[in-house]
Each structure stands twice: as C-alpha cells, then as structure tokens.
Amino acid sequence: MEIIDRYVSAVVKRLPEKSRAEVERELRVNIQDMLPDEYEEADVHQVLLSLGNPADLAAQYYEPKRYLISPERYANYMYVLKIVSIVAAIVIPFAAIVTVLTDAQGDSPIDLLVRMIVQTIVMAFQAVFVVFGCVTLIFALLERVDTKYSQWPYTGKPWTIKDLEAVQVMNSRSIDKTEPIFSIVISVFFAIVICFYPDLLGWYSKADGEWDITPLFNAEVLRAYVPFVLALSVFGIVIAVLKLIQQKWSMRTAWMNVLFDVCIIVFICAFFLNGDLFTDAFIEKFALGVKADSDSLESIWDKSSYGLAAFITLSMVWDGISGLFKARKSLDR
Amino acid sequence: MAPYDELLAALEVELKRGTLTLAVLSQLQTPKYGYSLLQDLVDKHVDIEAGTLYPLLRRLEKQGILTSDWDTAESRPRKYYTLSATGNEIFKKLSDNWRSMTRQIEQLLGGEDNGDH
C-alpha cells in the first residue's frame, strides 16, 4: 500500500544510510503485524497514527547523543559568544570608519558619514556569520575531540575538593571583565592599523581645504615589524580570553601575563629605538608643530620617544608585578 | 492548570524511562518479534507504544544487550529478539537493583502508615 511506503520512507530517510535497509525491513513487518488480516485504508491510518510522527520515530532510533553543543557546555558557549560579540561590536565601527576614510577622495562629510554607517552595517552583517560560525565550530569540535576537558573546567583532570575556590567577591583579586575586553579591542585595533593602514598614523595638516597626512612610519621599515605585531596581538588576545574565562588571577595566568609584558617591553624598545622607523617628513612637521629649531629638535624627539618607551616599559612592569601579587593573594585565601 | 499537567507529565516520563527497558528485557528470555512482544506487554498492562518499543529494541541490540535473528521460514519473515549472555547478566543486576529500590521507596512512602514514629 502506497501510504505505508510513504511512512516508511519518511522514517528511514532520517536515519544513517547503513541502518536504513534493516530498519525499513523490520518496520514493514511490524506494520503488517499490527494490521488485521483483511485490512482497509482506515486500518492502515490507525496503525500509522499509533506509530506516531515519522521524525520522532526516526529520532528514537538514534543513540541519545545528538547535539552540536551539549547542555553542559551551553552556558560557556553563550558566554564566549557574548564576549566575542561585544568585541566585534566595538571593533567594527572603527574598522568601518578606517575603511571609508582610506577610500575617501574629497567627498563631503555627509557623504562620508552615510558611507561609514552603510559600511558598519555591511561589516556587522558579515561579522555575525563569522563570529557565530567560528565560535560554534570551535565548541562543536571541542565537544567531539576531547571529552576530558568536559571534566573540571579546562583542567583536563577530575574535579577535587582542592579545586574549590574562595567565594567570588568583587575585589582586587578578581578580574574585572572590562579590562580584558578593552585589551582585546586595543590588540585588534592596533594590529589592524599597523598591518593594514599605517598611512593613517601621521601628522594631519590642512592644505587647500584638504587633509594632508604626513606618515609617521617608514612603510619599508615598518613591514619588518608586522609579524611581531600580529604575534603580540594574538598573544594578548589569548591572555585576555584566559582572564575572561577564569575570571580570577591564577599563578599560571599571572606568569603568562608577565611573559607577555616582557615581550611588549622588548618590542617597544626595539621599536622606538630604531631611528629609521620614523620618516624625516614627519619629524619636520613635528618640529614645526612644536616650534623647535632643528638643533633642539633632535633632543626633543629623542626625549619624547625614550620617554614614551620608558613609560610603556614601566606600566608593563607594574602590570606584570601586580598580576603576580593578585595571583599570590588569591592562592593564600 | 496546563503547567501543572505538563509538569506532572514530564516527571512521569522521567520516572518511567528506565522501567520500560527493564520491562522489555524481562519478556525476552525467549525469542520474540516486535509485535508479539508489544502484545505481551500490553496484555500485562505495560503502558508502551509501538513507536517507542521498536526503536528501543534496535538500540538495545546495538548495545549488545539483545541479539536478533531473522526467521524466514514462515510466510512472513520476522526479526526475533532475545537476551544475549551479557544482556542476561545485565537484566539480573537491573532486577536486583529494581527490587531494592522499590523496597526503599516503599519504605519511604509507607513510613507514616507503618507507625515508624
């Protein structure tokens, strides 16, 4: 009877190919068994109705585990998705503005504004798919690849009493969420500008009603630094994500933070002490801007770049040490 | 009243989930095919539907608790299920568990009637 064929096919097409033939054969016999010897269409209807929704029936043939992201991981998944979305929401308007500005050729401000808004919407639309897709893919892979990490959060070991942490109070030992998010945004922003739009960093002057940019960096020299900038950004993002997940200073995070700070210091010193990196044109404009003559200029320039390097170094040292202290304090509790 | 009914239904499903497997295993000491097993269970007032039983049999077979055999001698070939050696052991263990569990629950539920206080 055709209606039985339809029902059976509606069930088995939802099953893995290798089990279809067997299930179909058995299901047909079962349906025949449930029918009286002399049956009519109405009897068939009754039997099929008693077997129920074909999709539900097919679902029951599966082992219970049929999901992309398990209920145990769902909360974490939503948390990461939220964080990544916040970062994207902050970075995208910047990226859109930069993109529009680099393409701008004497357009009116309103024109630019409209294009920035359109660009933001377009990029946000693309980002939704990328963010959602990547986070989902990573979690789905985690789900399948390692079962051990589903033990005590991310330690890969069974949970023990020692894993219990002191009750979280918002104090100096816990990590404020805004700080890691801020550093992710800064990392992404910095990496994008240095790697793709170094021309935008420069001395802005208005000549004949148009903005003229004197680039700060020597593009040739800067190119050598790009891999380091990218590596540092990725490193910074990884640490920020770790902080977001743990929400508390641990010794391991603190030492990684120290390592990161050291890398930054090394990079910053190498960066600022390289005289070839900065264009002469910019230094000239700078001299005009600060109204210095060429003699005193050199010392001003050197002082300010050394000063900046020293300032960043000191704040990195402070950051590393305070991280260690916070981690130590949370161990003592 | 709908939330009450839904809540009750959900809890009942949870309560019944494991017992169906036990009920099915108890009837498969001798080989049976799907529909005959269904009738046996319905005759014994077990509340089980065809759409639940057939997939359950297949899952238990995949887990190695049941073995199956197509009997093609008759005019209508049928797939007969019976407990495997492992299945038999598991069934015995589950039955013991069930008995001690029901005893405990019975004690808890009947506590006041028995005048334990």
Side-chain angles (χ1 to χ4, degrees):
Chain A
M1 193 167 251
E2 197 207 341
I3 202 89
I4 296 179
D5 294 340
R6 287 195 199 177
Y7 186 87
V8 171
S9 129
V11 174
V12 296
K13 78 175 182 195
R14 292 180 165 83
L15 295 175
E17 209 149 332
K18 59 177 163 48
S19 56
R20 280 182 197 166
E22 177 80 5
V23 170
E24 171 163 1
R25 190 177 174 202
E26 194 184 357
L27 191 55
R28 281 183 185 282
V29 180
N30 282 332
I31 292 172
Q32 291 299 331
D33 280 340
M34 289 165 87
L35 289 166
D37 289 337
E38 304 282 322
Y39 61 84
E40 291 168 17
E41 180 103 14
D43 297 315
V44 176
H45 285 197
Q46 206 193 342
V47 165
L48 296 185
L49 281 173
S50 80
L51 281 170
N53 183 335
D56 289 347
L57 186 60
Q60 292 216 54
Y61 276 97
Y62 275 98
E63 291 298 303
K65 192 174 179 175
R66 270 185 89 199
Y67 43 64
L68 196 59
I69 288 153
S70 63
E72 293 84 42
R73 265 177 221 267
Y74 185 71
N76 240 309
Y77 167 73
M78 288 308 284
Y79 177 68
V80 172
L81 203 57
K82 211 168 73 186
I83 298 290
V84 178
S85 304
I86 291 173
V87 171
I90 299 171
V91 172
I92 285 169
F94 278 114
I97 289 168
V98 168
T99 313
V100 170
L101 282 183
T102 45
D103 289 348
Q105 279 149 356
D107 308 82
S108 71
I110 293 186
D111 221 32
L112 284 180
L113 191 68
V114 170
R115 272 169 53 199
M116 280 171 194
I117 292 169
V118 170
Q119 184 71 17
T120 306
I121 294 169
V122 169
M123 288 173 92
F125 196 67
Q126 293 168 334
V128 165
F129 291 103
V130 174
V131 162
F132 190 75
C134 286
V135 174
T136 308
L137 192 67
I138 289 170
F139 269 81
L141 282 177
L142 271 180
E143 194 70 62
R144 267 128 264 260
V145 171
D146 64 0
T147 40
K148 44 176 215 277
Y149 278 91
S150 62
Q151 299 192 344
W152 179 246
Y154 326 114
T155 56
K157 289 182 207 132
W159 175 83
T160 65
I161 292 288
K162 276 173 95 181
D163 291 323
L164 289 179
E165 292 166 357
V167 179
Q168 285 225 9
V169 222
M170 253 320 186
N171 58 18
S172 59
R173 298 171 210 46
S174 43
I175 297 172
D176 185 10
K177 272 188 201 129
T178 50
E179 190 245 279
I181 290 179
F182 182 70
S183 65
I184 292 176
V185 172
I186 291 289
S187 299
V188 171
F189 188 62
F190 194 64
I192 289 175
V193 170
I194 292 283
C195 300
F196 302 110
Y197 305 106
D199 302 343
L200 288 184
L201 296 174
W203 192 273
Y204 285 74
S205 52
K206 212 165 190 177
D208 307 331
E210 277 194 34
W211 282 105
D212 182 46
I213 309 172
T214 312
L216 169 65
F217 294 118
N218 222 325
E220 296 281 306
V221 186
L222 186 67
R223 205 163 298 149
Y225 287 93
V226 164
F228 297 104
V229 172
L230 280 180
L232 276 179
S233 306
V234 171
F235 194 10
I237 291 169
V238 167
I239 288 183
V241 169
L242 265 181
K243 287 178 186 170
L244 279 176
I245 291 175
Q246 298 182 336
Q247 290 179 35
K248 200 159 192 235
W249 283 99
S250 69
M251 251 2 214
R252 202 171 49 172
T253 321
W255 279 114
M256 277 185 74
N257 197 46
V258 168
L259 183 64
F260 177 67
D261 292 335
V262 170
C263 292
I264 289 275
I265 292 171
V266 170
F267 177 79
I268 288 292
C269 290
F271 198 73
F272 277 101
L273 301 184
N274 184 348
D276 296 340
L277 192 60
F278 305 102
T279 57
D280 293 336
F282 182 86
I283 297 177
E284 265 167 41
K285 295 267 178 174
F286 179 76
L288 284 175
V290 297
K291 296 190 173 60
D293 56 62
S294 54
D295 285 339
S296 56
L297 168 70
E298 208 158 318
S299 81
I300 292 177
W301 179 258
D302 283 349
K303 269 183 197 151
S304 46
S305 53
Y306 287 145
L308 196 56
F311 173 73
I312 294 175
T313 303
L314 280 180
S315 30
M316 289 299 128
V317 169
W318 170 251
D319 181 64
I321 291 176
S322 74
L324 282 175
F325 266 107
K326 285 169 183 168
R328 168 57 57 84
K329 268 196 211 158
S330 71
L331 269 186
D332 288 347
R333 273 174 66 121
Chain B
M1 230 35 205
Y4 171 86
D5 292 337
E6 273 172 38
L7 191 61
L8 184 62
L11 288 172
E12 277 175 348
V13 167
E14 229 170 278
L15 195 59
K16 261 172 69 179
R17 192 167 290 146
T19 68
L20 279 186
T21 310
L22 193 55
V24 166
L25 296 185
S26 74
Q27 299 303 302
L28 287 176
Q29 313 275 1
T30 54
K32 290 200 176 79
Y33 59 91
Y35 186 61
S36 67
L37 177 58
L38 182 68
Q39 287 206 305
D40 280 2
L41 290 169
V42 170
D43 285 347
K44 287 173 173 143
H45 308 292
V46 177
D47 181 17
I48 189 168
E49 279 165 37
T52 311
L53 178 63
Y54 301 151
L56 176 61
L57 288 172
R58 199 182 154 76
R59 288 209 306 273
L60 290 170
E61 185 197 354
K62 270 195 161 175
Q63 291 166 344
I65 291 170
L66 300 181
T67 53
S68 72
D69 214 2
W70 279 93
D71 177 12
T72 46
E74 284 176 65
S75 62
R76 187 181 288 169
R78 286 186 177 117
K79 195 179 182 184
Y80 280 82
Y81 289 95
T82 183
L83 284 176
S84 68
T86 328
N88 222 335
E89 266 174 54
I90 286 179
F91 169 61
K92 292 222 170 75
K93 293 253 164 67
L94 284 181
S95 311
D96 289 346
N97 283 350
W98 173 258
R99 289 202 183 92
S100 71
M101 217 179 332
T102 43
R103 227 177 297 128
Q104 287 164 3
I105 298 287
E106 201 49 53
Q107 231 171 13
L108 293 174
L109 296 182
E112 279 148 295
D113 298 339
N114 295 342
D116 276 355
H117 297 282

